[in-house]
Amino acid sequence: MRRAVPEVGKPRAHPSPWLSDAAQARLRSRLAGARRHARPGAPVLASVTERLAGAHDPAAIVVASRAPGQAWFCLEQPARDGTAHAGLGVTLELDAAGPDRFRSLERRWRALSEHAVCDFPDAPPGVGLVAVAGFAFADDGARSPAWHGFGSASLTVPAVWLARRGDATWLTCNVLVNHDDHDLEALLARATTLVAGLQERPLPLFDPAPVGHFSVHSPMPPAHYEEAVARAVERIRAGELEKVVLAREVQVRAPLAHDPGAVFDVLRGGFPECFIYAVGRGDATFIGATPELLVRRDGNRASTVALAGSTRRSADPAVDDHLGESLLRSDKNRHENQVVADRIAEALAPYSVWVTVAPEPVLIKVANIQHLAAPIRAQLTQAVGALALAGALHPTPAVGGEPDEVATRLIPALEGLDRGWYAGTLGWTDTGGDGEFCVALRCALLRGELASCYAGCGIVEDSEPAAELAETEVKLQALLPVLSG
């Protein structure tokens, strides 16, 4: 059941300020402490966190409060006790590119974290001083004009961060203090003014019957995808590689600009088991609903899932069960899943005391598709952060291929597109290195009236081009019906 929300268009009235007088006084003290520790070229983060009274919707606050062009970030998994994270604005931004991009951002974030002056609240993961990060699929990806503003690897500390678990919501206010910031009261005023201006109203309503003409087309014709699959199968049968994932793009042009807030609300209502995400940069928003966790790090424990092998859903429960059972018995799909599970376990092994993979895959069912999934857990031996773990795992064979070095060279040649952040990863990490990153699938890049949707399939020796094309159509149904009117 969805939560009741106030009448559309009326900001919520809050009986208390977003930040109490005590929190603002604490922030003033933190700014002074940060200034004392700041050095030329080495600014220090100051941060305060406070639990808010009542129930709140972090995504609704961010969407209602953001100014045009202002950066924003949302990541939710509604079915997991209403877990939601959202960020507004940018206090600090770090970029990287190339094969060392994950490690580079990990090192720089760790250095900032060690000197940060912040709260450590007794709260669920993701509460407090947090950085959000997103990575393109390729080490040098997201370079085409369509992906302007995203980059190959980007880490930001939001000016305002909201985290919810169950009915409890926390707000964090972040400020970057340089060694030559002499007017700390001005810094405090800017931060508290931003927080005081936050609004909360329901996400925009989705128009189920929009007026105007929608056009849907593929930059590359469907036959191009079938030919790419056929060529990949030839390479696999020749022994060059074991598996490769090939994607395609479908574009939707709407009569009016796509509304990312309305799309986000539809996705979280239709796919509550998935990670629902939105990353806004300038006039563009990367948005989607992915079932795939790349890695979750909680202290010395890491968890993930090998998600590969899929089939459609059916409205008839008996047919739906039959489809699921057929998927579980499919040698082709079980092999595809095993390839992914083996690689993930191998990647985690150097950091772990032990790695355990579920002996048999299970079914994960979302609204329009069902997958084979093999849960994987690891006990870590060293203090490796979530960013570094994400880099060790990305790209898994579920989005790249096996062997990785062969597949990553072959993918752009066969696909003929810049994947950008599609099949990359995004998520958050805290000052202790804990965090959570999902694989950016079932997604679209929204920019004004244009939406570019992406979907891909794992190609193995027994793959048939027509069947793989049909599977991309199933996966596109997460967003295509929402965006095409």
Side-chain angles (χ1 to χ4, degrees), residues 153-394:
S154 172
L155 179 145
T156 65
V157 177
V160 175
W161 177 251
L162 296 132
R164 185 188 68 205
R165 179 67 68 88
D167 291 328
T169 305
W170 290 260
L171 182 146
T172 299
C173 178
N174 302 309
V175 182
L176 187 69
V177 182
N178 291 284
H179 79 287
D180 55 355
D181 280 328
H182 301 294
D183 192 349
L184 297 184
E185 287 301 314
L187 288 180
L188 178 66
R190 283 198 294 271
T192 54
T193 299
L194 176 62
V195 173
L198 294 176
Q199 302 180 62
E200 184 174 8
R201 54 176 172 259
L203 289 173
L205 293 175
F206 178 75
D207 186 352
V211 176
H213 174 69
F214 289 78
S215 64
V216 180
H217 77 283
S218 301
M220 297 285 190
H224 169 86
Y225 186 78
E226 291 183 304
E227 181 182 349
V229 172
R231 290 167 61 192
V233 169
E234 290 176 3
R235 301 285 189 95
I236 293 168
R237 290 175 177 172
E240 293 183 33
L241 71 167
E242 189 174 357
K243 175 190 175 181
V244 64
V245 176
L246 295 179
R248 56 188 288 247
E249 175 185 0
V250 175
Q251 294 183 344
V252 179
R253 186 168 292 279
L256 298 172
H258 295 283
D259 189 331
V263 174
F264 188 87
D265 198 33
V266 170
L267 291 178
R268 68 181 184 177
F271 300 90
E273 303 87 359
C274 291
F275 294 93
I276 315 301
Y277 59 88
V279 183
R281 298 290 176 86
D283 64 345
T285 302
F286 181 56
I287 193 166
T290 178
E292 188 164 352
L293 170 70
L294 180 63
V295 68
R296 181 180 295 123
R297 190 249 194 179
D298 184 5
N300 59 0
R301 295 170 296 173
S303 57
T304 181
V305 62
L307 198 75
S310 57
T311 191
R312 66 182 178 88
R313 300 293 306 274
S314 172
D316 184 324
V319 174
D320 195 60
D321 289 344
H322 172 72
L323 290 169
E325 289 300 319
S326 297
L327 180 61
L328 284 168
R329 293 194 302 268
S330 166
D331 291 337
K332 180 253 186 191
N333 285 289
R334 289 177 70 92
H335 171 68
E336 185 181 343
N337 186 271
Q338 190 65 52
V339 169
V340 176
D342 289 346
R343 166 87 84 72
I344 290 175
E346 181 182 350
L348 287 174
Y351 308 101
S352 307
V353 179
W354 50 257
V355 180
T356 179
V357 182
E360 290 288 326
V362 297
L363 284 176
I364 288 184
K365 297 188 177 189
V366 296
N368 66 325
I369 196 168
Q370 45 192 324
H371 302 275
L372 289 182
I376 300 171
R377 296 182 298 118
Q379 182 81 12
L380 301 174
T381 59
Q382 50 184 291
V384 56
L387 281 165
L389 287 172
L393 293 172
H394 175 79

